[in-house]
PDB file of all heavy atoms in Angstrom:
ATOM      1  N   PRO A   1     119.934  96.919 136.681  1.00  0.00           N
ATOM      2  CA  PRO A   1     119.527  97.119 135.287  1.00  0.00           C
ATOM      3  C   PRO A   1     120.231  96.124 134.371  1.00  0.00           C
ATOM      4  O   PRO A   1     121.383  95.754 134.597  1.00  0.00           O
ATOM      5  CB  PRO A   1     119.958  98.552 134.983  1.00  0.00           C
ATOM      6  CG  PRO A   1     121.022  98.857 135.978  1.00  0.00           C
ATOM      7  CD  PRO A   1     120.790  97.987 137.168  1.00  0.00           C
ATOM      8  N   VAL A   2     119.521  95.668 133.340  1.00  0.00           N
ATOM      9  CA  VAL A   2     120.061  94.694 132.396  1.00  0.00           C
ATOM     10  C   VAL A   2     119.866  95.247 130.985  1.00  0.00           C
ATOM     11  O   VAL A   2     118.794  95.757 130.661  1.00  0.00           O
ATOM     12  CB  VAL A   2     119.338  93.332 132.534  1.00  0.00           C
ATOM     13  CG1 VAL A   2     119.811  92.340 131.496  1.00  0.00           C
ATOM     14  CG2 VAL A   2     119.511  92.775 133.925  1.00  0.00           C
ATOM     15  N   ALA A   3     120.895  95.140 130.151  1.00  0.00           N
ATOM     16  CA  ALA A   3     120.798  95.586 128.753  1.00  0.00           C
ATOM     17  C   ALA A   3     120.328  94.425 127.890  1.00  0.00           C
ATOM     18  O   ALA A   3     120.830  93.301 128.005  1.00  0.00           O
ATOM     19  CB  ALA A   3     122.143  96.091 128.257  1.00  0.00           C
ATOM     20  N   LEU A   4     119.350  94.680 127.028  1.00  0.00           N
ATOM     21  CA  LEU A   4     118.851  93.692 126.086  1.00  0.00           C
ATOM     22  C   LEU A   4     118.891  94.267 124.684  1.00  0.00           C
ATOM     23  O   LEU A   4     118.627  95.458 124.494  1.00  0.00           O
ATOM     24  CB  LEU A   4     117.390  93.333 126.382  1.00  0.00           C
ATOM     25  CG  LEU A   4     117.049  92.683 127.707  1.00  0.00           C
ATOM     26  CD1 LEU A   4     115.538  92.553 127.848  1.00  0.00           C
ATOM     27  CD2 LEU A   4     117.694  91.328 127.819  1.00  0.00           C
ATOM     28  N   THR A   5     119.212  93.435 123.717  1.00  0.00           N
ATOM     29  CA  THR A   5     119.054  93.833 122.327  1.00  0.00           C
ATOM     30  C   THR A   5     117.667  93.361 121.924  1.00  0.00           C
ATOM     31  O   THR A   5     117.353  92.187 122.039  1.00  0.00           O
ATOM     32  CB  THR A   5     120.127  93.184 121.434  1.00  0.00           C
ATOM     33  OG1 THR A   5     121.406  93.609 121.897  1.00  0.00           O
ATOM     34  CG2 THR A   5     119.954  93.601 119.986  1.00  0.00           C
ATOM     35  N   ARG A   6     116.843  94.298 121.479  1.00  0.00           N
ATOM     36  CA  ARG A   6     115.454  93.986 121.171  1.00  0.00           C
ATOM     37  C   ARG A   6     115.133  94.387 119.736  1.00  0.00           C
ATOM     38  O   ARG A   6     115.442  95.485 119.307  1.00  0.00           O
ATOM     39  CB  ARG A   6     114.541  94.723 122.136  1.00  0.00           C
ATOM     40  CG  ARG A   6     113.068  94.435 121.934  1.00  0.00           C
ATOM     41  CD  ARG A   6     112.229  95.077 122.998  1.00  0.00           C
ATOM     42  NE  ARG A   6     112.429  94.391 124.268  1.00  0.00           N
ATOM     43  CZ  ARG A   6     112.107  94.895 125.448  1.00  0.00           C
ATOM     44  NH1 ARG A   6     111.578  96.090 125.529  1.00  0.00           N
ATOM     45  NH2 ARG A   6     112.308  94.205 126.547  1.00  0.00           N
ATOM     46  N   CYS A   7     114.519  93.477 119.017  1.00  0.00           N
ATOM     47  CA  CYS A   7     114.070  93.736 117.656  1.00  0.00           C
ATOM     48  C   CYS A   7     112.561  93.558 117.669  1.00  0.00           C
ATOM     49  O   CYS A   7     112.067  92.535 118.145  1.00  0.00           O
ATOM     50  CB  CYS A   7     114.727  92.744 116.703  1.00  0.00           C
ATOM     51  SG  CYS A   7     114.447  93.103 114.979  1.00  0.00           S
ATOM     52  N   SER A   8     111.830  94.559 117.184  1.00  0.00           N
ATOM     53  CA  SER A   8     110.383  94.477 117.278  1.00  0.00           C
ATOM     54  C   SER A   8     109.705  95.096 116.066  1.00  0.00           C
ATOM     55  O   SER A   8     110.303  95.881 115.337  1.00  0.00           O
ATOM     56  CB  SER A   8     109.890  95.171 118.552  1.00  0.00           C
ATOM     57  OG  SER A   8     110.244  96.543 118.538  1.00  0.00           O
ATOM     58  N   ALA A   9     108.455  94.722 115.875  1.00  0.00           N
ATOM     59  CA  ALA A   9     107.623  95.273 114.805  1.00  0.00           C
ATOM     60  C   ALA A   9     106.183  95.256 115.276  1.00  0.00           C
ATOM     61  O   ALA A   9     105.780  94.389 116.051  1.00  0.00           O
ATOM     62  CB  ALA A   9     107.763  94.458 113.532  1.00  0.00           C
ATOM     63  N   ARG A  10     105.422  96.216 114.798  1.00  0.00           N
ATOM     64  CA  ARG A  10     104.011  96.298 115.121  1.00  0.00           C
ATOM     65  C   ARG A  10     103.177  95.908 113.911  1.00  0.00           C
ATOM     66  O   ARG A  10     103.571  96.175 112.782  1.00  0.00           O
ATOM     67  CB  ARG A  10     103.625  97.709 115.562  1.00  0.00           C
ATOM     68  CG  ARG A  10     103.888  97.932 117.021  1.00  0.00           C
ATOM     69  CD  ARG A  10     104.991  98.948 117.222  1.00  0.00           C
ATOM     70  NE  ARG A  10     105.393  99.013 118.621  1.00  0.00           N
ATOM     71  CZ  ARG A  10     106.537  98.520 119.067  1.00  0.00           C
ATOM     72  NH1 ARG A  10     107.357  97.914 118.263  1.00  0.00           N
ATOM     73  NH2 ARG A  10     106.865  98.616 120.335  1.00  0.00           N
ATOM     74  N   ALA A  11     102.033  95.297 114.178  1.00  0.00           N
ATOM     75  CA  ALA A  11     101.128  94.877 113.109  1.00  0.00           C
ATOM     76  C   ALA A  11      99.714  94.924 113.659  1.00  0.00           C
ATOM     77  O   ALA A  11      99.505  95.117 114.857  1.00  0.00           O
ATOM     78  CB  ALA A  11     101.474  93.467 112.646  1.00  0.00           C
ATOM     79  N   TYR A  12      98.732  94.755 112.786  1.00  0.00           N
ATOM     80  CA  TYR A  12      97.342  94.614 113.204  1.00  0.00           C
ATOM     81  C   TYR A  12      96.917  93.188 112.937  1.00  0.00           C
ATOM     82  O   TYR A  12      97.295  92.600 111.929  1.00  0.00           O
ATOM     83  CB  TYR A  12      96.424  95.566 112.439  1.00  0.00           C
ATOM     84  CG  TYR A  12      96.469  96.979 112.936  1.00  0.00           C
ATOM     85  CD1 TYR A  12      96.959  98.001 112.147  1.00  0.00           C
ATOM     86  CD2 TYR A  12      96.015  97.290 114.216  1.00  0.00           C
ATOM     87  CE1 TYR A  12      96.998  99.305 112.611  1.00  0.00           C
ATOM     88  CE2 TYR A  12      96.056  98.590 114.689  1.00  0.00           C
ATOM     89  CZ  TYR A  12      96.543  99.589 113.880  1.00  0.00           C
ATOM     90  OH  TYR A  12      96.582 100.872 114.347  1.00  0.00           O
ATOM     91  N   GLY A  13      96.127  92.639 113.858  1.00  0.00           N
ATOM     92  CA  GLY A  13      95.686  91.275 113.663  1.00  0.00           C
ATOM     93  C   GLY A  13      94.298  91.032 114.191  1.00  0.00           C
ATOM     94  O   GLY A  13      93.955  91.493 115.274  1.00  0.00           O
ATOM     95  N   PRO A  14      93.510  90.290 113.436  1.00  0.00           N
ATOM     96  CA  PRO A  14      92.164  89.970 113.887  1.00  0.00           C
ATOM     97  C   PRO A  14      92.125  88.824 114.894  1.00  0.00           C
ATOM     98  O   PRO A  14      91.176  88.667 115.639  1.00  0.00           O
ATOM     99  CB  PRO A  14      91.451  89.569 112.596  1.00  0.00           C
ATOM    100  CG  PRO A  14      92.551  89.041 111.728  1.00  0.00           C
ATOM    101  CD  PRO A  14      93.778  89.821 112.089  1.00  0.00           C
ATOM    102  N   GLY A  15      93.166  88.004 114.917  1.00  0.00           N
ATOM    103  CA  GLY A  15      93.168  86.825 115.779  1.00  0.00           C
ATOM    104  C   GLY A  15      93.632  87.144 117.178  1.00  0.00           C
ATOM    105  O   GLY A  15      94.094  88.231 117.476  1.00  0.00           O
ATOM    106  N   ASP A  16      93.519  86.157 118.055  1.00  0.00           N
ATOM    107  CA  ASP A  16      93.935  86.359 119.444  1.00  0.00           C
ATOM    108  C   ASP A  16      95.105  85.455 119.824  1.00  0.00           C
ATOM    109  O   ASP A  16      95.301  85.139 120.986  1.00  0.00           O
ATOM    110  CB  ASP A  16      92.754  86.140 120.386  1.00  0.00           C
ATOM    111  CG  ASP A  16      92.244  84.707 120.379  1.00  0.00           C
ATOM    112  OD1 ASP A  16      92.600  83.966 119.446  1.00  0.00           O
ATOM    113  OD2 ASP A  16      91.502  84.330 121.295  1.00  0.00           O
ATOM    114  N   LEU A  17      95.904  85.036 118.837  1.00  0.00           N
ATOM    115  CA  LEU A  17      97.072  84.201 119.128  1.00  0.00           C
ATOM    116  C   LEU A  17      98.079  84.985 119.962  1.00  0.00           C
ATOM    117  O   LEU A  17      98.384  86.135 119.667  1.00  0.00           O
ATOM    118  CB  LEU A  17      97.723  83.736 117.818  1.00  0.00           C
ATOM    119  CG  LEU A  17      99.033  82.944 117.963  1.00  0.00           C
ATOM    120  CD1 LEU A  17      98.786  81.602 118.641  1.00  0.00           C
ATOM    121  CD2 LEU A  17      99.671  82.723 116.610  1.00  0.00           C
ATOM    122  N   ARG A  18      98.573  84.355 121.012  1.00  0.00           N
ATOM    123  CA  ARG A  18      99.660  84.897 121.823  1.00  0.00           C
ATOM    124  C   ARG A  18     100.627  83.755 122.084  1.00  0.00           C
ATOM    125  O   ARG A  18     100.211  82.632 122.354  1.00  0.00           O
ATOM    126  CB  ARG A  18      99.137  85.428 123.158  1.00  0.00           C
ATOM    127  CG  ARG A  18      98.247  86.631 123.046  1.00  0.00           C
ATOM    128  CD  ARG A  18      97.805  87.146 124.419  1.00  0.00           C
ATOM    129  NE  ARG A  18      97.325  86.115 125.331  1.00  0.00           N
ATOM    130  CZ  ARG A  18      96.097  85.626 125.358  1.00  0.00           C
ATOM    131  NH1 ARG A  18      95.199  86.047 124.499  1.00  0.00           N
ATOM    132  NH2 ARG A  18      95.758  84.692 126.227  1.00  0.00           N
ATOM    133  N   PHE A  19     101.922  84.036 122.007  1.00  0.00           N
ATOM    134  CA  PHE A  19     102.889  82.984 122.307  1.00  0.00           C
ATOM    135  C   PHE A  19     104.204  83.572 122.796  1.00  0.00           C
ATOM    136  O   PHE A  19     104.491  84.748 122.584  1.00  0.00           O
ATOM    137  CB  PHE A  19     103.128  82.067 121.106  1.00  0.00           C
ATOM    138  CG  PHE A  19     103.757  82.730 119.906  1.00  0.00           C
ATOM    139  CD1 PHE A  19     105.114  83.011 119.857  1.00  0.00           C
ATOM    140  CD2 PHE A  19     102.985  83.050 118.804  1.00  0.00           C
ATOM    141  CE1 PHE A  19     105.677  83.603 118.748  1.00  0.00           C
ATOM    142  CE2 PHE A  19     103.539  83.638 117.694  1.00  0.00           C
ATOM    143  CZ  PHE A  19     104.898  83.917 117.669  1.00  0.00           C
ATOM    144  N   LYS A  20     104.977  82.705 123.460  1.00  0.00           N
ATOM    145  CA  LYS A  20     106.347  82.997 123.861  1.00  0.00           C
ATOM    146  C   LYS A  20     107.152  81.753 123.556  1.00  0.00           C
ATOM    147  O   LYS A  20     106.722  80.634 123.853  1.00  0.00           O
ATOM    148  CB  LYS A  20     106.450  83.298 125.352  1.00  0.00           C
ATOM    149  CG  LYS A  20     105.798  84.588 125.770  1.00  0.00           C
ATOM    150  CD  LYS A  20     105.984  84.820 127.254  1.00  0.00           C
ATOM    151  CE  LYS A  20     105.284  86.098 127.665  1.00  0.00           C
ATOM    152  NZ  LYS A  20     105.427  86.371 129.085  1.00  0.00           N
ATOM    153  N   VAL A  21     108.320  81.941 122.976  1.00  0.00           N
ATOM    154  CA  VAL A  21     109.237  80.834 122.696  1.00  0.00           C
ATOM    155  C   VAL A  21     110.607  81.275 123.185  1.00  0.00           C
ATOM    156  O   VAL A  21     111.072  82.357 122.821  1.00  0.00           O
ATOM    157  CB  VAL A  21     109.301  80.512 121.182  1.00  0.00           C
ATOM    158  CG1 VAL A  21     110.246  79.350 120.927  1.00  0.00           C
ATOM    159  CG2 VAL A  21     107.920  80.201 120.638  1.00  0.00           C
ATOM    160  N   TYR A  22     111.228  80.451 124.021  1.00  0.00           N
ATOM    161  CA  TYR A  22     112.536  80.824 124.557  1.00  0.00           C
ATOM    162  C   TYR A  22     113.367  79.565 124.807  1.00  0.00           C
ATOM    163  O   TYR A  22     112.823  78.459 124.902  1.00  0.00           O
ATOM    164  CB  TYR A  22     112.393  81.667 125.829  1.00  0.00           C
ATOM    165  CG  TYR A  22     111.493  81.075 126.893  1.00  0.00           C
ATOM    166  CD1 TYR A  22     111.993  80.271 127.902  1.00  0.00           C
ATOM    167  CD2 TYR A  22     110.121  81.335 126.875  1.00  0.00           C
ATOM    168  CE1 TYR A  22     111.171  79.745 128.863  1.00  0.00           C
ATOM    169  CE2 TYR A  22     109.292  80.804 127.838  1.00  0.00           C
ATOM    170  CZ  TYR A  22     109.818  80.015 128.840  1.00  0.00           C
ATOM    171  OH  TYR A  22     108.994  79.482 129.790  1.00  0.00           O
ATOM    172  N   PRO A  23     114.701  79.714 124.915  1.00  0.00           N
ATOM    173  CA  PRO A  23     115.557  78.538 125.097  1.00  0.00           C
ATOM    174  C   PRO A  23     115.372  77.910 126.473  1.00  0.00           C
ATOM    175  O   PRO A  23     115.069  78.601 127.443  1.00  0.00           O
ATOM    176  CB  PRO A  23     116.978  79.081 124.943  1.00  0.00           C
ATOM    177  CG  PRO A  23     116.880  80.532 124.823  1.00  0.00           C
ATOM    178  CD  PRO A  23     115.453  80.933 124.774  1.00  0.00           C
ATOM    179  N   LYS A  24     115.562  76.609 126.530  1.00  0.00           N
ATOM    180  CA  LYS A  24     115.509  75.914 127.814  1.00  0.00           C
ATOM    181  C   LYS A  24     116.711  76.324 128.647  1.00  0.00           C
ATOM    182  O   LYS A  24     117.813  76.448 128.146  1.00  0.00           O
ATOM    183  CB  LYS A  24     115.525  74.396 127.607  1.00  0.00           C
ATOM    184  CG  LYS A  24     114.210  73.858 127.169  1.00  0.00           C
ATOM    185  CD  LYS A  24     114.154  72.360 127.233  1.00  0.00           C
ATOM    186  CE  LYS A  24     112.752  71.900 126.876  1.00  0.00           C
ATOM    187  NZ  LYS A  24     112.647  70.460 126.823  1.00  0.00           N
TER     188      LYS A  24
END
């Protein structure tokens, strides 16, 4: 098991944009 600090929010959107950005 790994502990993560997660910050999140929910919204509604008409578009289909999906992305991930993370450090190299």
Side-chain angles (χ1 to χ4, degrees):
V2 176
L4 297 174
T5 300
R6 182 174 289 163
C7 188
S8 61
R10 275 113 189 107
Y12 282 115
D16 65 344
L17 175 66
R18 293 182 313 276
F19 64 78
K20 292 182 182 180
V21 181
Y22 51 92
K24 283 191 176 176

